[in-house]
C-alpha cells in the first residue's frame, strides 16, 4: 500500500473540521480535541477524542481519554497522525482498547455510470431513512433499547452541521422504500467531498443498491466542483476491496481505539 502525506493531509483536516462543526461541545488539548454531544450519549462517534498532532508520549493517551471523556461508559479515540497512531497501539491495547486501522481512500478516474436496468439513486430526506435505519440498527444491536436506536438514527440529523452541504443519498425499491443509503458531505470551496456511512437493508443486499448510491454520491460531488472525493474504510474489512473496484485508491491511514 502506498500512502502520501500530501494527498491525505487535506482529508484529515476535513475530518477534524467536520467533527468540530457537528459537536455540541469541543474541548481543546495540545494534541487535538474532544468532541462530545450530551444529547446523544449512545452514539460513540459523537463522543470521542481526536488526536490531530504528534504526541511526544503516546503512552499518555489512555489517561487523556479518561479525562476528556469522563462520565461516559465507553471510550473512543481517533488518531489522525499515522505515526502517533502506530506508537499508541501498545499503550491502548494494554489499557483494554481494541484497535482498528482505517484507510483514507480517494476516488480516481471517471465516476461510475448507473448499471443498465439497475437501481437508481437520488437525494432523500431523513424522514425517508428513519424506518430503514432503525431496522438496520436493531439488526446490528439486537439488545439495544429503543432510546439507543432512536439516538443512532437521529444522529444523522446532527451531521447536517458538519459540512457546508450535507446530502442523504438513497436508492429506493420498486415500492418506494429506501434500500440503501449513504451520507455525502461537500466542501466546494476546498474542492473536497466525503462519502460516509454506507448501509444497505439486509433484505436488499446484492441487488446493486449500494453501487447506485455510491455512484450517485460521486456524481453529485463532481457536479458540486469537488475534485477530491474520498471515504474511510476499515483496513481489514471486505468493503475496501469493493471500493477499490469502484475506483478508490488508498492514500493514507488513520487509527481508531475503542473500549466498551
Amino acid at each position: 500500500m502506498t500512502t502520501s502525506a500530501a494527498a491525505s493531509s487535506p482529508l484529515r483536516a476535513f475530518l477534524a473540521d467536520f467533527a468540530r462543526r457537528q459537536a455540541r461541545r469541543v474541548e481543546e488539548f495540545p494534541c487535538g480535541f474532544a468532541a462530545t454531544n450530551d444529547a446523544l450519549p449512545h452514539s460513540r462517534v459523537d463522543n470521542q477524542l481526536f488526536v490531530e498532532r504528534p504526541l511526544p508520549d503516546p503512552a499518555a493517551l489512555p489517561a487523556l481519554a479518561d479525562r476528556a471523556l469522563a462520565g461516559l461508559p465507553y471510550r473512543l479515540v481517533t488518531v489522525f497522525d499515522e505515526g502517533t497512531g502506530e506508537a499508541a497501539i501498545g499503550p491502548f491495547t494494554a489499557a483494554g482498547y481494541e484497535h482498528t486501522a482505517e484507510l483514507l481512500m480517494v476516488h480516481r478516474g471517471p465516476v461510475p455510470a448507473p448499471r443498465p436496468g439497475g437501481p437508481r439513486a437520488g437525494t432523500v430526506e431523513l424522514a425517508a431513512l428513519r424506518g430503514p435505519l432503525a431496522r438496520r440498527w436493531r439488526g446490528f444491536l439486537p439488545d439495544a433499547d429503543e432510546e439507543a436506536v432512536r439516538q443512532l438514527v437521529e444522529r444523522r440529523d446532527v451531521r447536517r452541521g458538519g459540512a457546508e452541504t450535507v446530502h442523504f443519498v438513497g436508492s429506493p425499491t420498486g415500492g418506494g422504500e429506501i434500500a440503501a443509503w449513504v451520507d455525502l458531505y461537500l466542501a466546494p470551496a476546498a474542492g473536497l467531498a466525503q462519502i460516509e456511512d454506507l448501509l444497505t437493508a439486509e433484505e436488499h443486499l446484492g441487488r446493486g443498491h449500494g453501487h447506485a448510491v455510491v455512484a450517485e454520491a460521486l456524481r453529485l460531488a463532481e457536479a458540486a466542483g469537488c475534485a477530491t472525493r474520498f471515504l474511510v474504510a476499515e483496513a481489514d474489512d471486505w468493503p475496501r476491496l469493493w471500493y477499490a473496484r469502484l475506483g478508490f485508491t488508498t492514500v493514507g491511514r488513520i487509527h481508531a481505539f475503542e473500549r466498551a
Side-chain angles (χ1 to χ4, degrees):
M1 178 185 67
T2 301
T3 64
S4 164
S8 62
S9 290
L11 314 186
R12 300 170 201 271
F14 179 93
L15 292 169
D17 183 59
F18 189 96
R20 280 191 170 92
R21 289 178 56 159
Q22 74 160 5
R24 176 170 286 192
R25 179 173 179 266
V26 176
E27 183 179 2
E28 298 289 344
F29 295 97
C31 63
F33 63 99
T36 57
N37 188 332
D38 57 8
L40 298 171
H42 288 284
S43 177
R44 299 187 182 192
V45 299
D46 289 287
N47 295 279
Q48 60 174 307
L49 174 67
F50 293 90
V51 179
E52 296 179 278
R53 293 173 287 278
L55 195 66
D57 182 16
L61 282 174
L64 177 59
D66 284 341
R67 179 156 60 93
L69 304 175
L72 291 167
Y74 52 81
R75 299 285 182 266
L76 179 59
V77 182
T78 294
V79 181
F80 292 133
D81 181 75
E82 191 165 352
T84 300
E86 293 286 350
I89 293 174
F92 271 120
T93 301
Y97 284 74
E98 293 186 2
H99 167 247
T100 302
E102 299 182 331
L103 306 178
L104 298 170
M105 303 184 74
V106 171
H107 189 257
R108 309 288 196 199
V111 172
R115 290 173 173 167
R120 293 294 186 269
T123 58
V124 299
E125 296 298 324
L126 179 58
L129 295 178
R130 284 191 171 97
L133 265 171
R135 287 192 294 275
R136 200 69 171 112
W137 276 115
R138 290 188 188 104
F140 288 141
L141 304 172
D143 296 328
D145 60 28
E146 287 303 306
E147 176 58 18
V149 171
R150 185 194 70 79
Q151 290 184 27
L152 293 171
V153 171
E154 294 305 319
R155 73 183 184 185
R156 251 185 165 91
D157 193 43
V158 174
R159 295 176 184 174
R160 298 180 196 272
E164 186 177 336
T165 302
V166 173
H167 291 307
F168 305 127
V169 181
S171 175
T173 66
E177 181 178 336
I178 303 302
W181 53 92
V182 75
D183 291 0
L184 175 63
Y185 312 140
L186 301 174
L192 284 168
Q194 182 189 4
I195 295 170
E196 172 66 11
D197 215 356
L198 170 65
L199 284 173
T200 300
E202 192 169 13
E203 64 271 24
H204 299 301
L205 289 169
R207 300 179 184 178
H209 290 286
H211 180 280
V213 294
V214 172
E216 178 65 7
L218 288 168
R219 188 193 68 77
L220 290 168
E222 183 180 57
C226 298
T228 301
R229 303 175 290 274
F230 78 100
L231 52 77
V232 181
E234 289 190 18
D236 295 328
D237 207 358
W238 68 266
R240 77 191 191 283
L241 304 175
W242 184 73
Y243 292 132
R245 291 196 294 272
L246 290 177
F248 287 89
T249 299
T250 298
V251 298
R253 183 188 296 254
I254 61 179
H255 297 270
F257 300 91
E258 187 170 6
R259 188 180 72 196

